């Protein structure tokens, strides 16, 4: 029986544990050869003595799959290029890029430090941009002599789509990832590359670190299992999703849906005088759909 990702080569950043590990296992079970990219660090940046990515690569190989380990730092432009090159050198090609790596430095807007802002933007947003840049250049060159069916699968969040208190840096990075993904979809489509996002809901060490979350209850709740987002990643990585691009898929064990992005709402002829402008904008606001919060309620 042919598997959905047979003969495909995938990179998964932040693939050592949590969502990334679920993606790796799902893609490997679907027949893909996987580059497991992970720095081997905890959320605070310190080294993780358990080295979960090493164990995961060994697990995949023991099950008969193909996997290699990458310790490249995707927030560094050149190392992101070396990661893409590792996939090509190890397996002869690259077909799928899954950007999952991330860190948290949650803080209220007025208390956040520059270092806390920079750390989150570097890993989430710059890391996604850097890997897309190098993978996109590789696919552009390959498209000159073969027909491609390649994939970019990026990770956004409800915080980036709808906002969340205490996560300005994270929300900005995740919103930026959606914008970058849309540009990639527009620019790389002519080379046979699609670009989409997932907005996953799952219990991981990252969500466990968020104040107010009951980490144990979430971990025991199957609706927060990483297997649900991983299933969508497999579909997006496979030929089944051919032609689907520029979309954001909201996925958890509680809900599967499509996030609707910015669209042109109510409008009018331009108005300049202050009183007329106030009346016109109030009218348009009354006609426009309200913003949604992370749970879909208006705010």
């Amino acid at each position: 029986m042919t598997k959905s990702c047979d003969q495909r080569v995938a990179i998964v950043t932040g693939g050592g544990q949590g969502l990334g590990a679920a993606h790796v296992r799902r893609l490997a079970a679907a027949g893909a050869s996987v580059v497991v990219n992970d720095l081997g660090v905890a959320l605070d940046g310190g080294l993780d003595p358990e080295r979960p990515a090493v164990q995961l690569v060994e697990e995949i190989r023991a099950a008969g799959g193909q996997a290699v380990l990458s310790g490249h730092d995707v927030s560094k432009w050149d190392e992101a290029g070396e990661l893409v090159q590792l996939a090509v050198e190890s397996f002869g090609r690259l077909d799928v890029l899954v950007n999952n790596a991330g860190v948290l430095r949650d803080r209220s807007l007025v208390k956040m430090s520059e270092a806390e802002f920079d750390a989150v933007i570097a890993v989430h947003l710059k890391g996604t941009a850097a890997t897309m840049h190098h993978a996109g250049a590789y696919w552009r060159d390959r498209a000159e002599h073969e027909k491609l069916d390649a994939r970019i699968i990026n990770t956004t969040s409800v915080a980036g789509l709808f906002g969340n208190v205490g996560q300005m840096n994270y929300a900005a990075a995740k919103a930026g990832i959606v914008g970058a993904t849309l540009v990639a979809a527009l620019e790389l489509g002519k080379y046979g590359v699609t670009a989409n996002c997932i907005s996953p809901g799952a219990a991981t060490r990252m969500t466990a670190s968020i104040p107010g979350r009951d980490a144990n209850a979430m971990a025991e709740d199957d609706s927060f299992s990483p297997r649900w987002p991983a299933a969508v990643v497999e579909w997006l990585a496979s030929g089944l999703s051919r032609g689907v691009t520029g979309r954001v898929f909201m996925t958890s064990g509680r809900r599967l849906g499509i996030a609707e992005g910015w669209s042109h709402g109510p409008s009018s002829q331009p108005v300049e005088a202050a009183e007329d402008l106030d009346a016109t904008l109030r009218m348009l606001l009354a006609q426009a759909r309200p913003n949604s919060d992370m749970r879909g309620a208006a705010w």
Side-chain angles (χ1 to χ4, degrees), residues 215-231:
N216 292 329
M218 289 182 67
E220 294 173 359
D221 186 342
D222 180 66
S223 68
F224 287 108
S225 169
R227 68 190 179 93
W228 300 104

